[in-house]
Each structure stands twice: as C-alpha cells, then as structure tokens.
Amino acid sequence: MEPIQQVSGRAYPWGAKNIDTDIIIPAHWLKTTTREGLGKGAFESVRAEPGNLFDDPRYAGAPILVAGENFGCGSSREHAAWALADLGIKAVIAPSFSDIFSGNAFKNGIVTVVLPQEAIDRLVQVATANEITVDLETMTVTTDFQDRFAFELDPFRRDCLMQGLDEIGMTLAQDTAISKFESAVAHERPWIAVGGGHEGVAVEGIGRT
C-alpha cells in the first residue's frame, strides 16, 4: 500500500444510504481473482442511468466519496474495496459503515471516515463544486470554506495507513524479531527444528526414533 497522510481533491457528492456491496460491485464481477479492472464494474447499476454521478466528467478521478449511513452493508466481498480502489477512491466519508467493509477498506488502503449526518449534508453541498481534504495527521475533514470536521480512527489503523503497511508489510516489518525468535527456538528446542539432524534424540514422553 502507498502511505496516506492526506487525501485531497474532488469528491463524489452522493450521500446515498444503505449502499450494499452488490451495488458497489455486482456479483458477476466476482469471478476475477485480480484487483485490476474492477473499477469498470463499480456502481454498475447506478452508472446504467443517464447522467449518473460516477460518469459525470466533473468528478472524473475523484479520490473521495461522500456517502450515507450504513455504507458497505450486505455480503463480505473484499472485491467491493478492490473496485473502489481501482476507481481511484482513497477515502469514503459516511455516518456509518458495515464493520466487515470497513475492515476490507483498511486492508486495501482506503480511509473510512465517520462523521455525523449534518457534516455529510454539508460536504455533499460543498463537493458539487469544490474540493475536500481528509487529513490523517490532524484527523480532520476540511473545505475551502473553512469547514472543519474532526473524526476518530483506530490508532493502529491510522498508523498503518500513514506508513502504507498492509498485513504483509506489517509482518515484514517484524522480520528481525521473527528471526531472533526462530533462532532462539532452534537453540532451546532443537528437536522441533526441521532438518535439524536430531531425529535420534529422545524427548520426554516421546520414544527414540
């Protein structure tokens, strides 16, 4: 993942409530095992309507989506987060999120910002013509009109997003500690070391081989 300190730019001023993962990415797109190209299927049913928000050239490439409550409900498909990321969305602002979607978004480098409905209404209004900034350093969402909305984020998730660490990256960051642990185990309990050449060692409760 790429480190995220700030997401700034145009935002899709949607505000729709109870958007489930089937709307975000329909089931027939789930045949793929790659994350690339899913942006084409994102919000397919919505984009089938003439003049829809997601095909409006004013918001092309917008990195922020302003949505309504209970965003990402429904099935647990991680493809929903993949589709949003492939569409170029790096932050979603809503009054509430499905827990599973929020977790999948985090794992894929998407910031989920929870703000009260009053703030959402204001951001939808502003986003029709102006940019929005989500700042993880100050934990605020701001506009050019001096709007400033503070939000909370799990400290662990915030740190991972700012450092660009996914689950693999977090494991690799502990490489030195893991190597030290494995060396200590091999020294203290050599009989469990694979290929350690101790096949004939008798262990309490276990006969000699």
Side-chain angles (χ1 to χ4, degrees), residues 13-158:
W14 203 17
K17 300 179 180 180
N18 300 312
I19 297 302
D20 63 39
T21 52
D22 194 54
I23 294 178
I24 298 173
I25 187 71
H28 66 86
W29 285 87
L30 306 188
K31 298 175 183 178
T32 180
T33 56
T34 178
R35 307 181 188 195
E36 298 179 0
L38 284 176
K40 298 177 182 178
F43 304 109
E44 186 176 64
S45 61
V46 179
R47 296 165 88 171
E49 299 295 328
N52 72 86
L53 186 70
F54 295 100
D55 289 326
D56 189 324
R58 292 178 298 170
Y59 309 110
I64 302 171
L65 171 64
V66 183
E69 64 183 3
N70 198 30
F71 186 82
C73 56
S75 73
S76 60
R77 66 189 70 168
E78 189 174 1
H79 293 67
W82 294 359
L84 292 179
D86 196 59
L87 191 62
I89 293 176
K90 298 181 178 179
V92 181
I93 308 173
S96 60
F97 295 90
S98 158
D99 288 342
I100 294 177
F101 170 81
S102 184
N104 287 336
F106 157 66
K107 293 176 182 178
N108 288 276
I110 299 174
V111 185
T112 52
V113 178
V114 175
L115 289 178
Q117 187 62 51
E118 295 78 11
I120 297 299
D121 294 340
R122 171 58 179 167
L123 291 175
V124 167
Q125 179 185 27
V126 170
T128 56
N130 296 274
E131 295 188 352
I132 292 173
T133 296
V134 176
D135 195 314
L136 289 182
E137 184 67 40
T138 60
M139 298 290 283
T140 58
V141 176
T142 57
T143 74
D144 294 336
F145 299 100
Q146 306 306 311
D147 296 296
R148 186 182 181 88
F149 304 108
F151 65 91
E152 297 181 356
L153 193 63
D154 177 81
F156 172 75
R157 290 188 173 183
R158 175 175 178 261

Side-chain angles (χ1 to χ4, degrees), residues 146-184:
Q146 306 306 311
D147 296 296
R148 186 182 181 88
F149 304 108
F151 65 91
E152 297 181 356
L153 193 63
D154 177 81
F156 172 75
R157 290 188 173 183
R158 175 175 178 261
D159 185 57
C160 289
L161 289 166
M162 294 185 72
Q163 293 190 58
L165 293 175
D166 57 15
E167 292 175 324
I168 294 175
M170 286 184 279
T171 301
L172 292 176
Q174 300 298 320
D175 180 61
T176 300
I178 292 171
S179 295
K180 289 178 64 176
F181 173 78
E182 289 179 338
S183 295

